[in-house]
Amino acid sequence: MVGSDDLDLNRRDLMVGAGACAAIPVIPAAARAQPGPAENPVEFRVSLSVNGQPHTLTVDTRTSLLDLLRENLQLTGTKKGCDHGQCGACTVIVDGRRINSCLTLAVMHEGSAVTTIEGLGQPDNLHPMQAAFIKHDGYQCGYCTPGQICSSVAMLEEIKAGVPSHVTADLLAPVRLTETELRERMSGNICRCGAYSNIVEAITEVAERQG
Ligand code: FES
Ligand code: FES
């Protein structure tokens, strides 16, 4: 039969044991999973044209096209917003198509022709879309604007080529740039300042002038 002294001893032993367990340092899983020393980056040579200028660079294979433009070529007009393909601030035109330059590796663009905002126009010779954004006040802070302009220029070419969108009702009829089409096609370009109505006005004016 167990006496009350035995019970006290057992409770004390239990407390001591629990305290000892608590004193064992807890090593976070992330710390235990630390990788070994970094290996040398793998580099690769890539030749591409940016705004009509040929470039040949040796870059870490993990370099995004966005980082190549901004860090290697100092073309900082292209903006890094989310770096995850969610905001469109990094939109550039590659071989005639708009892409998120943060989502593509530079080494995948051997031989590509890239156009950034710097290649569309210059302060003394603006592209019609740049001029329309200024005229219609299509920006506030301006951070999304280079991406909006590159995206809208390429988007108008998609319309001319008859490329349908998710809101195109009749796939057999010529595509018309309604406001619904425009907003759908530009939905990948986020404006945190909310200048959307002015952006729509600017793009619509250019589209109407182009006929
Ligand atoms: Fe590329 Fe946001 S920075 S989509
Ligand atoms: Fe500020 Fe668009 S103008 S995010």
Side-chain angles (χ1 to χ4, degrees), residues 29-39 62:
R32 272 184 269 131
Q34 285 293 321
E39 291 175 10
R62 298 165 295 183

Side-chain angles (χ1 to χ4, degrees), residues 56-67:
T56 297
L57 306 104
T58 300
V59 293
D60 185 325
T61 49
R62 298 165 295 183
T63 305
S64 68
L65 179 60
L66 174 61
D67 284 341

Side-chain angles (χ1 to χ4, degrees), residues 89-111:
C90 64
T91 307
V92 296
I93 303 170
V94 177
D95 298 328
R97 297 181 63 189
R98 50 185 173 161
I99 64 169
N100 289 333
S101 58
C102 70
L103 278 192
T104 186
L105 295 172
V107 294
M108 293 164 63
H109 292 286
E110 175 67 28

Side-chain angles (χ1 to χ4, degrees), residues 66 79-90 100-102:
L66 174 61
K79 301 302 182 207
K80 182 180 282 190
C82 62
D83 210 17
H84 281 80
Q86 294 169 348
C87 73
C90 64
N100 289 333
S101 58
C102 70

Side-chain angles (χ1 to χ4, degrees), residues 25-84:
V26 178
I27 302 168
R32 272 184 269 131
Q34 285 293 321
E39 291 175 10
N40 288 338
V42 179
E43 294 188 327
F44 210 80
R45 217 160 75 118
V46 60
S47 297
L48 72 178
S49 147
V50 180
N51 300 332
Q53 298 291 317
H55 294 277
T56 297
L57 306 104
T58 300
V59 293
D60 185 325
T61 49
R62 298 165 295 183
T63 305
S64 68
L65 179 60
L66 174 61
D67 284 341
L68 177 139
L69 293 171
R70 290 182 56 85
E71 309 297 333
N72 296 72
L73 301 181
Q74 281 73 54
L75 291 170
T76 53
T78 306
K79 301 302 182 207
K80 182 180 282 190
C82 62
D83 210 17
H84 281 80

Side-chain angles (χ1 to χ4, degrees), residues 138-145 148 190-195:
Y139 52 86
Q140 287 180 38
C141 75
Y143 200 80
C144 73
T145 313
Q148 300 275 5
I190 307 299
C191 176
R192 290 172 178 83
C193 297

